[in-house]
């Protein structure tokens, strides 16, 4: 690499293409042929394993329809698979703990998206574009002393 002495030297430098313009992501699979990832949302943490299969989703040793009874929560979980057009191609095993059902569904979606990118690195751009690989860092604000809740004060009375 040449050191520039003056501004006139700037025009004489050749445009060297940057090495590895975009980072290449490699496939991360364990000995059983599964991809593993951890997803988080609020206080919920989900551990997700995916492997090629018939599309079966098991959450905490229960079918997904039993564990996440509300259709909205199942829709949240299936979003990464629908974006990637891989709805019935993977068997998914999940253990999730902490938080409520909504936070757990978000954690499973985050973990599933990461596991899909580990299994098939080519799926990273569409999942990243939809924001599924970004950990939603919003958490409940803590309660402060002298307050009724995190920000709610006691009612003011003049007399």
């Amino acid at each position: 690499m040449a050191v520039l002495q003056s501004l006139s030297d700037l025009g004489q430098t050749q445009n060297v293409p940057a090495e590895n313009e975009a980072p290449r992501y490699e496939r991360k699979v364990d000995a059983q042929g599964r991809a593993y990832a951890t997803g988080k949302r609020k206080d919920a943490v989900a551990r997700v394993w995916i492997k090629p299969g018939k599309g079966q989703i098991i959450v905490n040793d229960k079918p997904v329809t039993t564990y996440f009874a509300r259709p909205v929560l199942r829709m949240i979980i299936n979003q990464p698979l629908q974006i990637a057009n891989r709805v019935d191609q993977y068997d998914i095993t999940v253990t999730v703990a902490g938080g409520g059902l909504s936070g757990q569904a978000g954690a499973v979606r985050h973990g599933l998206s990461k596991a899909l990118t580990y299994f098939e690195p080519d799926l990273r751009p569409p999942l990243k574009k939809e924001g599924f690989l970004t950990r939603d860092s919003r958490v409940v604000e803590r309660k402060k002393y002298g307050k009724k809740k995190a920000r709610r004060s006691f009612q003011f009375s003049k007399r």
Side-chain angles (χ1 to χ4, degrees):
M1 181 160 169
V3 178
L4 301 176
Q5 299 295 333
S6 66
L7 287 176
S8 60
D9 294 344
L10 188 62
Q12 297 169 355
T13 60
Q14 7 178 341
N15 291 335
V16 181
E19 295 177 18
N20 298 334
E21 292 176 8
R24 275 306 303 149
Y25 293 97
E26 295 181 13
R27 193 168 188 243
K28 297 179 188 173
V29 181
D30 64 3
Q32 288 88 16
R34 303 174 302 182
Y36 166 78
T38 305
K40 295 181 180 182
R41 170 81 172 93
K42 293 186 178 179
D43 278 340
V45 179
R47 299 184 302 164
V48 182
W49 290 267
I50 65 167
K51 63 180 180 181
K54 295 176 280 208
Q56 195 175 31
I57 303 176
I58 303 295
V59 181
N60 290 353
D61 298 324
K62 295 179 184 175
V64 70
T65 53
T66 306
Y67 193 85
F68 292 111
R70 284 189 284 169
V72 173
L73 299 178
R74 288 197 303 271
M75 179 201 72
I76 289 172
I77 291 170
N78 285 321
Q79 282 176 335
L81 296 170
Q82 290 170 345
I83 295 293
N85 293 325
R86 306 282 192 274
V87 175
D88 291 329
Q89 295 184 18
Y90 293 111
D91 285 343
I92 302 163
T93 307
V94 180
T95 57
V96 63
L101 285 177
S102 177
Q104 288 183 351
V108 171
R109 180 177 80 173
H110 184 229
L112 178 57
S113 302
K114 283 171 61 175
L116 279 171
T117 60
Y118 293 155
F119 203 87
E120 290 185 62
D122 296 336
L123 294 178
R124 187 174 170 82
L127 291 173
K128 184 136 179 82
K129 181 175 171 263
E130 293 294 325
F132 295 154
L133 297 177
T134 305
R135 195 257 201 242
D136 191 350
S137 61
R138 295 176 298 167
V139 291
V140 178
E141 190 176 344
R142 77 170 190 88
K143 183 192 173 300
K144 279 74 170 187
Y145 63 90
K147 301 275 188 179
K148 200 172 178 77
K149 292 169 43 174
R151 297 186 178 193
R152 170 91 167 93
S153 297
F154 293 100
Q155 182 172 342
F156 175 74
S157 174
K158 195 168 185 177
R159 292 183 188 83

